[in-house]
Amino acid sequence: MKSQSSAARMTPADLNVQGWLNISDAARLSEIQLAQAVANGLSIKSLGTMQKTFGKKFVVGKGALVSESTVSRRKHDAGTLDKDVSERLYGMARVLAALSKTYHGNTELIGRFLHTANPVLEGHIPYDLARSSVAGADVVLRHIKRLDAGVAA
């Protein structure tokens, strides 16, 4: 995780799914347009906010959201990620948006939550579960909602 001040806060615009996908306020998409963008492949620029906030290892590399080879290929062609990678990024953006609300944009706490084995998630690390599949991201999201509601399990 990229080092930041102990109480690093993000701007409110960065707290939503589209902010995490590096979609500017001026280019905001409707829910339908966002679904179509994910299905058609997000831009490689979608990696930007996550990478700036948590560092390159969070987003690119072995065991990350996107492989180095995918990033390298996409830089040389149209710059569009395939549907599977786009869905993985979208799932992580949903998790990050939920955690941003839970932890009031404190990226240190968000990072700690994501990278700490969680007994409620059967000992899984939330980041690994969320990046594994849409279903994994949904499991993490349900856990975050229970946390927000004050229910541990």
Side-chain angles (χ1 to χ4, degrees):
M1 189 169 35
K2 193 174 181 177
S3 64
Q4 295 192 354
S5 67
S6 62
R9 303 267 181 217
M10 298 173 342
T11 65
D14 292 330
L15 299 179
N16 61 45
V17 172
Q18 292 192 43
W20 280 110
L21 292 174
N22 207 31
I23 299 170
S24 71
D25 285 335
R28 286 290 184 234
L29 306 174
S30 71
E31 289 178 346
I32 301 299
Q33 290 170 322
L34 180 57
Q36 290 171 332
V38 171
N40 294 329
L42 294 168
S43 165
I44 194 159
K45 293 178 183 176
S46 297
L47 306 173
T49 302
M50 290 182 207
Q51 190 165 320
K52 280 186 243 169
T53 305
F54 296 107
K56 185 176 180 180
K57 287 183 181 180
F58 184 89
V59 181
V60 179
K62 186 175 181 175
L65 295 169
V66 185
S67 70
E68 286 275 2
S69 59
T70 296
V71 171
S72 179
R73 276 193 314 275
R74 297 306 176 223
K75 283 183 179 176
H76 297 293
D77 61 21
T80 302
L81 299 166
D82 64 34
K83 182 180 176 183
D84 290 339
V85 172
S86 295
E87 287 183 348
R88 193 173 321 128
L89 285 174
Y90 175 72
M92 186 61 72
R94 291 175 57 219
V95 167
L96 290 169
L99 286 170
S100 294
K101 290 177 184 170
T102 299
Y103 292 117
H104 308 287
N106 186 316
T107 57
E108 184 177 318
L109 292 176
I110 293 168
R112 192 178 310 154
F113 173 89
L114 285 172
H115 291 95
T116 302
N118 192 307
V120 176
L121 298 174
E122 299 177 6
H124 289 276
I125 295 172
Y127 174 83
D128 293 338
L129 199 55
R131 75 176 172 77
S132 69
S133 66
V134 172
D138 286 344
V139 169
V140 175
L141 281 166
R142 281 192 296 278
H143 176 56
I144 295 165
K145 286 180 184 176
R146 287 191 299 265
L147 284 174
D148 286 344
V151 180

